Amino acid sequence: MPVGTISSSPDTVGVAVVNYPVPILETKEQVVSNCTQIANYIEGVKRGYPGLDLIIFPEYSTQGLHPQYWEDLTTTVPGEETAIFAEACRKNEVWGVFSITGEANPNGKPFNSFILINDQGEIVLNYHKIFPWVPVEPWCPGNETKVVTGPKGLKIGGVICYDGNMPEIVRDTVMKGAELVIRIQGYMNPSKEQQRAIAKVRAWENTCYFAVANMAGRDLVYSYFGQSCIIDFDGRVIAECGETPNEVQYGLLSISAIRDARKHWTAENHLYNLVHRGYTAVPDQGVADCPFDFYKNWVNNPEKVRLDVEDLTGKYPIPDKAPASKTV
């Protein structure tokens, strides 16, 4: 897609990604004040990019991850924080992606949540991070990918930070119909180059748009590298921020272009080719059966696969956290 414009059209979705400055917050009052700042941010970006349909803020941009007070900042969805975001989306007639870390979980530890709010101020998607970043993150893992219809009919799914390192999550999201996969992240150095590469690979291997919003700056623990970006479905960068906090990048996603590619590409049509193996040699639609023993075994006998993997990796990734061996 061409870049350099601030508008959009009936066929294009105008998307902005934000290098939000990492917040250091200790109280609920500070969180609410930060939410108001995010709401004001939305108003300013919409004024500067009148074609804006969707704005994306990073993981941890709402509450941060304070090493001491994080549990005190747990909230609900919906709650006071999402109410502020909902009003900003409604007022500015845009969709928004926001982070809640953590969302109260009646059955255990809080969730790390990806919240999509539409231009009417309604929460239309609440995705819980499936792969929390161990051994640091305290969040209860989710167990379901989700996709909804977004602005102008574009199909949207979401993943959170470390999720994106697992190709299965993005593939499952795309197989549910996602045309845009959004990755909100709080990724720190030294992983910058790997994460920039992953964004392009995930877009290419899934014939999908891929948008990343990452934090920038430093909190009490880490330095975050920014590089929020928007990637085309052929793995090319449409727009990318640098490392500076408060940078915003804007790009256009053509709905008709991605749907045309998915219908008419051949050698590069990875979604079709995955379940039509060798259709040139095997008339008329190739082979649909899954050829991967790992996936078949994982579904049918997950505990055995857990043990098989531990033969490769070891049983305890942090040796000094392993239970003491029993003596007789």
Side-chain angles (χ1 to χ4, degrees):
M1 286 298 299
V3 295
T5 183
I6 60 175
S7 59
S8 63
S9 72
D11 181 59
T12 56
V13 176
V15 177
V17 290
V18 181
N19 267 11
Y20 198 73
V22 52
I24 304 173
L25 309 171
E26 298 183 356
T27 67
K28 179 80 166 183
E29 291 74 21
Q30 290 175 336
V31 171
V32 171
S33 177
N34 184 51
C35 291
T36 300
Q37 179 174 308
I38 291 173
N40 293 336
Y41 213 108
I42 294 170
E43 184 171 354
V45 174
K46 178 65 174 182
R47 185 179 294 117
Y49 300 91
L52 179 68
D53 298 299
L54 172 65
I55 187 167
I56 305 167
F57 291 90
E59 181 190 34
Y60 291 115
S61 55
T62 301
Q63 295 138 292
L65 182 57
H66 195 286
Q68 183 177 354
Y69 299 111
W70 66 269
E71 202 160 14
D72 297 336
L73 305 182
T74 298
T75 188
T76 59
V77 176
E80 186 173 5
E81 296 84 357
T82 58
I84 295 171
F85 300 150
E87 175 58 27
C89 289
R90 184 165 49 245
K91 176 182 177 183
N92 294 286
E93 299 180 331
V94 300
W95 295 58
V97 172
F98 308 96
S99 169
I100 295 294
T101 50
E103 178 191 349
N105 172 14
N107 299 312
K109 293 287 188 179
F111 293 115
N112 181 336
S113 302
F114 170 117
I115 307 297
L116 175 62
I117 297 176
N118 67 16
D119 55 358
Q120 303 301 308
E122 302 164 330
I123 297 173
V124 295
L125 187 150
N126 181 1
Y127 164 77
H128 296 151
K129 188 174 188 177
I130 292 176
F131 282 92
W133 186 62
V134 292
V136 173
E137 287 188 324
W139 316 121
C140 182
N143 56 13
E144 180 185 8
T145 59
K146 295 183 178 181
V147 175
V148 297
T149 300
K152 299 175 182 175
L154 186 71
K155 302 291 186 180
I156 295 176
V159 300
I160 303 176
C161 204
Y162 192 81
D163 280 343
N165 296 335
M166 302 294 185
E168 292 85 358
I169 289 185
V170 178
R171 177 57 54 83
D172 193 71
T173 302
V174 166
M175 287 300 190
K176 289 182 176 179
E179 296 163 319
L180 165 64
V181 176
I182 298 169
R183 185 189 194 191
I184 62 173
Q185 65 187 44
Y187 239 119
M188 70 296 290
N189 290 312
S191 298
K192 180 177 75 171
E193 292 307 316
Q194 294 92 330
Q195 300 312 316
R196 292 180 69 206
I198 278 176
K200 292 182 279 189
V201 169
R202 294 289 173 265
W204 167 245
E205 68 190 2
N206 291 289
T207 320
C208 70
Y209 293 112
F210 202 83
V212 178
N214 191 30
M215 291 198 299
R218 180 168 179 81
D219 61 11
L220 299 175
V221 180
Y222 292 116
S223 174
Y224 301 85
F225 55 78
Q227 304 287 163
S228 300
C229 61
I230 304 168
I231 310 296
D232 207 345
F233 53 82
D234 65 353
R236 299 173 189 267
V237 177
I238 296 175
E240 184 176 35
C241 296
E243 297 187 11
T244 307
N246 288 310
E247 287 188 54
V248 177
Q249 274 287 9
Y250 178 78
L252 298 179
L253 310 184
S254 169
I255 298 171
S256 63
I258 187 171
R259 293 177 183 175
D260 179 80
R262 287 183 173 183
K263 285 185 178 297
H264 299 294
W265 281 9
T266 53
E268 303 84 8
N269 199 334
H270 311 303
L271 303 181
Y272 183 90
N273 295 341
L274 182 67
V275 292
H276 296 76
R277 293 184 292 119
Y279 64 81
T280 302
V282 183
D284 60 344
Q285 292 184 302
V287 180
D289 291 350
C290 176
F292 306 118
D293 291 338
F294 167 71
Y295 293 112
K296 291 184 281 189
N297 293 337
W298 192 8
V299 169
N300 294 318
N301 195 343
E303 286 304 318
K304 180 181 183 303
V305 170
R306 187 204 299 262
L307 295 174
D308 290 344
V309 169
E310 289 174 0
D311 285 341
L312 301 174
T313 65
K315 188 172 181 61
Y316 297 102
I318 309 177
D320 61 354
K321 297 294 185 182
S325 59
K326 294 182 179 180
T327 59
V328 293

